[in-house]
Amino acid sequence: MTGLTGVALTLLIQLTAPSTPGWTWTLYDDDPLVLANEVPDTARLRSTFECEPGSSVVRLSLYPAAPAHGFARVTAGAAATTAAFEPARGDGLRLVLRSDHPVFAAFAADGHLDVMIGEERRNIEVQRTHLAKLRRFTELCTS
């Protein structure tokens, strides 16, 4: 019975353990300040928010994305704005937002931001467990 129990336990662990690390939000409080949606200890990113502390200027990079220039519609809650975008390093797009704009305030409140680039919609979600990092990022960027 012990051998069968060990095999069953091993199989259960293999079935319930994730095969790759999950996506998470990490706050790097260096200069510049960065809030990254990433797989820790890898080069895999979905998005990053960067700013110089106190500048109120946030650079949002989205990965992966084809290099392009144009305008995006950005919404959070009932607030909306447009922002110019351009290619970012690697395979990303970068756009600039203000941390003191109503769109960013709504994003910091509930963790949901939508970016429309042409017909493509990117949903950025900061899960409830990571909202304190987003709010700290916003506070440091704005003050």
Side-chain angles (χ1 to χ4, degrees):
M1 215 48 165
T2 305
L4 185 56
T5 304
V7 169
L9 182 58
T10 300
L11 183 58
L12 180 63
I13 290 170
Q14 289 175 349
L15 291 175
T16 58
S19 58
T20 58
W23 292 90
T24 190
W25 287 94
T26 308
L27 180 61
Y28 299 98
D29 58 1
D30 300 325
D31 193 10
L33 184 66
V34 178
L35 181 63
N37 186 212
E38 63 184 347
V39 176
D41 301 323
T42 71
R44 294 177 55 201
L45 293 172
R46 284 190 181 161
S47 57
T48 61
F49 292 90
E50 298 178 37
C51 78
E52 301 300 326
S55 70
S56 297
V57 177
V58 177
R59 295 171 305 278
L60 166 60
S61 296
L62 303 170
Y63 302 95
H69 293 272
F71 288 89
R73 179 162 173 79
V74 183
T75 59
T81 191
T82 57
F85 63 85
E86 62 186 21
R89 66 180 173 258
D91 63 343
L93 289 178
R94 174 173 289 158
L95 54 111
V96 176
L97 302 169
R98 295 216 28 111
S99 61
D100 54 1
H101 190 281
V103 166
F104 213 86
F107 173 49
D110 72 5
H112 297 282
L113 184 75
D114 289 324
V115 180
M116 288 290 296
I117 300 172
E119 296 299 315
E120 181 182 355
R121 170 176 272 165
R122 296 284 186 106
N123 298 312
I124 298 172
E125 180 181 353
V126 177
Q127 298 82 6
R128 185 174 306 276
T129 57
H130 298 286
L131 277 177
K133 294 173 192 173
L134 173 59
R135 292 176 182 149
R136 180 69 177 145
F137 174 86
T138 305
E139 175 185 317
L140 291 172
C141 286
T142 306
S143 54

